[in-house]
Amino acid sequence: MGAYLLRRLLLIIPTLFGIIAINFVVVQFAPGGPVEQEIAQLKGHAGSMGLGGSGAGEVSMPSASLYRGAQGVDPHVIAEMRHMFGFDKPPLTRFWLMLKGYLTLNLGRSFFLGQSVWSLIIQRVPVSVSLGLWSTLLIYMVSIPLGIAKATRDGTRFDLVSSLVVLIGYAIPGFLFAIMLIVLFAGGTFVQWFPLRGLTTIGSASWPWPDRVLDYLWHMVLPTTAMVVGGFASLTMLTKNCFLEEIGKQYVLTARAKGASNQRVLYGHVFRNAMLLIVAGFPAAFISILFTSALLIEIIFSLNGMGQLGYQAALQRDYPVMFGTLYVFSLLGLIMQIVGDILYTVVDPRIDFSARR
């Protein structure tokens, strides 16, 4: 197992390099980079000045006074912008400088937010981890028992009704369900039982820790509910199908023929084999929910998480934030795949990855 883990860890390096290189090449052909956005901002600033506005404080460029009105931007200003953003260097040089920083875990500084990428990530990670972790745990806590119950009652009315319920939940978009929750329970039309935004109440930092925990859980109810509503269907059906497949195998018939009770057969023999794929997939499911499912929920509930950070960086062409978050996401995803392999061996010790050729 040790040799296998070492190979997987070493494989992270070329995989990360390929992911970053491909995205770097794609970005080079994307229109509307940070220089173009600053030029557009300067033109809009000059237009407002021409209409009689003061324009004070609207442009952060130090050479904004060189702007020559509606005739265009001074070439020296453009050259200064390109130097400030690092675009005066060839693309290959910029790529290697970026990789050199990543080797030392230096993700650079945001073009527009005035902070290091690490500080921005550290500020936003608690929100995304809260959403991802609670959502994943709730989905697993509900879907696994429900899937087992459906497998043991396959074809009954309970199986049909529960399938209909989870499929309806799967069909409802998470953001639409979030809006419905706000209308019903956050002061939209009916009652205001839950807060509308944020993870904590303003001023709660000075409260006793039990009150802070309750306040945090109170804020998490609606966003977590909106995220999990569509996540039950796939895991529930996967659990059911895994158990049905195992229940029909020869060793189950043998155990029952020897007089083992149904509970002993189900949880003493079937459970470990059926749960192999489900438990080992937990890290991948957590990463998927953490980084791909929370954007609209964060926007609707005004949560400053990683989804909003990446979305805003893409709109603004804030390349250090874009590539920094991509680097962190990819690294976590690759590590979680290795954790999933380790879980395989924990759930079923008979699996030996090091024996594979």
Side-chain angles (χ1 to χ4, degrees):
M1 189 64 181
Y4 171 77
L5 290 178
L6 181 60
R7 290 198 302 269
R8 289 296 303 269
L9 289 173
L10 292 177
L11 189 60
I12 289 178
I13 298 174
T15 305
L16 273 178
F17 176 83
I19 292 173
I20 295 173
I22 292 173
N23 283 274
F24 184 86
V25 172
V26 171
V27 164
Q28 303 310 305
F29 297 97
V35 175
E36 288 78 4
Q37 294 207 19
E38 286 289 347
I39 291 174
Q41 183 180 355
L42 286 174
K43 289 182 178 180
H45 170 66
S48 64
M49 290 180 63
L51 292 174
S54 63
E58 294 183 16
V59 178
S60 60
M61 295 299 300
S63 301
S65 60
L66 299 177
Y67 181 75
R68 298 183 302 173
Q71 297 178 358
V73 180
D74 192 291
H76 296 291
V77 177
I78 297 178
E80 186 177 347
M81 291 180 188
R82 293 182 62 83
H83 175 73
M84 183 181 67
F85 290 122
F87 290 103
D88 55 336
K89 302 180 179 67
L92 191 59
T93 302
R94 288 187 278 115
F95 178 70
W96 286 115
L97 288 175
M98 183 176 66
L99 288 183
K100 182 179 177 181
Y102 288 173
L103 289 175
T104 59
L105 297 181
N106 179 14
L107 303 184
R109 295 183 63 84
S110 168
F111 285 159
F112 304 105
L113 299 178
Q115 300 182 50
S116 68
V117 177
W118 270 122
S119 65
L120 291 171
I121 292 176
I122 291 172
Q123 292 171 15
R124 306 296 183 95
V125 157
V127 176
S128 296
V129 169
S130 294
L131 288 174
L133 185 59
W134 289 117
S135 300
T136 307
L137 288 176
L138 285 175
I139 289 173
Y140 268 71
M141 289 172 62
V142 173
S143 296
I144 291 176
L146 181 59
I148 296 174
K150 287 172 63 63
T152 56
R153 305 175 188 177
D154 184 39
T156 64
R157 180 176 296 179
F158 171 81
D159 182 33
L160 297 176
V161 172
S162 59
S163 296
L164 178 62
V165 171
V166 296
L167 289 177
I168 291 175
Y170 182 75
I172 300 176
F175 72 92
L176 187 61
F177 191 71
I179 295 174
M180 185 182 72
L181 290 176
I182 290 175
V183 172
L184 294 176
F185 303 112
T189 302
F190 295 91
V191 297
Q192 190 170 3
W193 291 346
F194 299 98
L196 183 58
R197 61 180 60 212
L199 287 184
T200 57
T201 301
I202 297 176
S204 62
S206 59
W207 296 358
W209 72 265
D211 295 337
R212 294 202 304 270
V213 171
L214 291 176
D215 180 66
Y216 164 76
L217 295 175
W218 182 46
H219 281 77
M220 286 298 301
V221 170
L222 293 188
T224 303
T225 305
M227 287 192 64
V228 304
V229 65
F232 296 122
S234 57
L235 185 59
T236 299
M237 299 310 295
L238 177 62
T239 304
K240 175 188 174 182
N241 293 333
C242 288
F243 271 79
L244 283 177
E245 182 181 359
E246 293 297 323
I247 289 173
K249 289 185 177 180
Q250 186 64 41
Y251 73 91
V252 175
L253 298 178
T254 303
R256 285 176 173 167
K258 290 181 177 181
S261 65
N262 188 54
Q263 293 295 319
R264 179 171 177 78
V265 170
L266 189 61
Y267 293 102
H269 298 278
V270 175
F271 188 82
R272 171 175 290 184
N273 294 326
M275 292 298 295
L276 178 61
L277 180 63
I278 299 166
V279 173
F282 180 86
F286 171 66
I287 289 294
S288 176
I289 293 176
L290 181 61
F291 296 136
T292 63
S293 304
L295 173 59
L296 291 177
I297 302 300
E298 290 178 5
I299 293 175
I300 292 173
F301 290 99
S302 301
L303 302 174
N304 292 323
M306 295 293 293
Q308 282 215 52
L309 178 64
Y311 176 70
Q312 293 169 355
L315 289 181
Q316 297 177 335
R317 302 297 193 271
D318 197 341
Y319 293 148
V321 177
M322 286 175 56
F323 286 109
T325 53
L326 174 66
Y327 173 77
V328 173
F329 292 170
S330 302
L331 182 60
L332 284 177
L334 294 171
I335 292 175
M336 285 299 179
Q337 288 182 0
I338 299 176
V339 173
D341 289 346
I342 295 175
L343 284 178
Y344 272 113
T345 62
V346 172
V347 176
D348 191 347
R350 296 172 298 176
I351 295 178
D352 185 7
F353 288 103
S354 60
R356 297 193 306 176
R357 297 292 183 184

